[in-house]
């Protein structure tokens, strides 16, 4: 039975969903904190962790997108109005786009201003962009704007999941929860 005919997601999809949820929430918290911190070793370490985690989020988003393409997703609740179906499709699509573009923009900006860029302090990962602080500033502005959009979209996503669970009392949230049988 394919995921589109199933009522739940595959275990790999659930694992990636919740792992990325935690990583994105941590990235948002750290990303909002870093500009307010003074210089020092803690700040430098958090920047390095932020960059490496961003690269990890990008890689996981691509894996998750491949899994979604391969396994599909269960159908939406049949009682959903058409506008909510469109909103769900648009918001999920935009989540994937932002989960890819936000890290790429941060990576490109860092590659332009702060060479070398390393993954986990050791693996060289500088992108082939010109070393240019003015360019980096512009890309960082784009990174920040998209990150704020992502944070807002995550808040809407969480609110919609809670609405489905607490108000509509349908299976939308439960089918993504760990511990539930993956497929009937």
């Amino acid at each position: 039975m394919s995921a589109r005919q199933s009522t739940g997601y595959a275990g790999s999809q659930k694992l990636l969903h919740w792992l990325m949820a935690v990583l994105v929430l941590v990235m948002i918290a750290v990303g909002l904190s870093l500009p307010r911190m003074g210089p020092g070793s803690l700040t430098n370490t958090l920047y390095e962790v932020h960059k490496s985690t961003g690269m990890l989020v990008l890689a996981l988003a691509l894996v998750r997108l491949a899994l979604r393409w391969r396994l599909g997703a269960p159908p939406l609740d049949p009682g959903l109005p058409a506008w909510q179906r469109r909103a769900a499709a648009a918001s999920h699509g935009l989540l994937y786009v932002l989960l890819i573009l936000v890290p790429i923009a941060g990576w490109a900006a860092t590659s332009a201003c702060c060479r070398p860029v390393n993954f986990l302090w050791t693996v060289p990962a500088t992108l082939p962009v010109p070393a240019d602080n003015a360019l980096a500033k512009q890309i960082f502005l784009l990174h920040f704007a998209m990150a704020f959009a992502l944070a807002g979209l995550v808040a809407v996503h969480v609110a919609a999941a809670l609405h489905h669970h607490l108000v509509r009392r349908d299976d939308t949230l439960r089918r993504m929860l760990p511990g539930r049988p993956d497929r009937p």
Side-chain angles (χ1 to χ4, degrees):
M1 178 178 267
S2 79
R4 293 198 186 281
Q5 298 166 326
S6 160
T7 59
Y9 288 92
S12 56
Q13 290 172 301
K14 291 178 188 182
L15 176 65
L16 280 172
H17 175 271
W18 292 108
L19 175 60
M20 290 185 69
V22 168
L23 290 175
V24 167
L25 290 175
V26 168
M27 290 291 286
I28 290 168
V30 171
L32 290 172
S33 300
L34 281 170
R36 292 163 179 75
M37 295 176 67
S41 62
L42 175 61
T43 302
N44 292 340
T45 298
L46 286 176
Y47 269 115
E48 291 303 317
V49 168
H50 186 78
K51 290 185 279 187
S52 291
T53 305
M55 290 182 225
L56 179 60
V57 166
L58 172 60
L60 292 175
L62 294 172
V63 169
R64 193 165 166 203
L65 194 58
L67 278 174
R68 175 91 178 219
W69 178 78
R70 173 86 168 90
L71 301 175
L76 296 173
D77 184 86
L80 277 182
W83 73 268
Q84 286 185 5
R85 291 176 175 282
R86 288 190 300 274
S91 65
H92 282 103
L94 189 53
L95 275 170
Y96 280 109
V97 166
L98 289 173
L99 287 169
I100 292 168
L101 291 182
V102 171
I104 289 174
W107 191 2
T110 304
S111 293
C113 77
C114 312
R115 296 168 187 246
V117 177
N118 294 310
F119 178 71
L120 298 175
W121 290 272
T122 56
V123 180
T126 304
L127 292 176
V129 297
D132 181 337
N133 285 337
L135 174 63
K137 184 176 180 180
Q138 294 302 310
I139 300 172
F140 271 129
L141 288 174
L142 182 61
H143 173 70
F144 299 146
M146 289 189 300
F148 278 109
L150 177 59
L153 194 54
V154 165
V156 168
H157 183 73
V158 169
L162 291 173
H163 171 78
H164 278 277
H165 190 68
L166 300 172
V167 177
R168 290 184 58 88
R169 297 188 184 273
D170 63 26
D171 207 32
T172 300
L173 176 61
R174 281 186 291 276
R175 66 188 184 174
M176 186 53 87
L177 292 176
R180 178 168 185 216
D182 295 339
R183 305 225 165 125

